[in-house]
């Protein structure tokens, strides 16, 4: 079904910086040193027109050794799940 006030957010691990974040239409992303938070306020329809996504470009700190795994955990929520 439809959702209301969709949120995608997650903690950023040390050594990872957000260079840019581009949400799908209608969304707004806020970036802090340790968090990425993207929101689509209002109604999100069910089906293909209701897809919400974020394209993120990260920069890894120079002191992180090559080959180091980087794990990101993001949560999604809606006030009408």
């Amino acid at each position: 079904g439809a959702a209301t006030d969709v949120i995608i957010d997650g903690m950023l691990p040390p050594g990872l910086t957000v260079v840019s974040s581009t949400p799908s239409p209608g969304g707004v992303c806020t970036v802090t040193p340790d968090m990425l938070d993207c929101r689509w306020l209002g109604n999100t329809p069910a089906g293909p027109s209701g897809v919400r996504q974020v394209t993120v470009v990260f920069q890894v700190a120079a002191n992180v050794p090559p080959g180091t795994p980087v794990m990101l955990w993001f949560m999604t929520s809606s006030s009408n799940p």
Side-chain angles (χ1 to χ4, degrees):
T4 305
D5 299 333
V6 174
I7 300 170
I8 299 173
D9 64 357
M11 301 292 292
L12 302 173
L16 199 63
T17 302
V18 174
V19 174
S20 67
S21 59
T22 307
S24 55
V28 175
C29 291
T30 303
V31 180
T32 63
D34 62 351
M35 175 74 91
L36 173 66
D37 180 273
C38 300
R39 296 170 183 257
W40 291 261
L41 301 180
N43 293 323
T44 293
S49 65
V51 171
R52 299 298 180 240
Q53 65 185 24
V54 181
T55 301
V56 184
V57 175
F58 296 102
Q59 180 174 356
V60 179
N63 64 343
V64 176
T68 300
V70 176
M71 296 185 69
L72 301 171
W73 295 96
F74 287 94
M75 303 291 293
T76 60
S77 63
S78 167
S79 57
N80 183 25

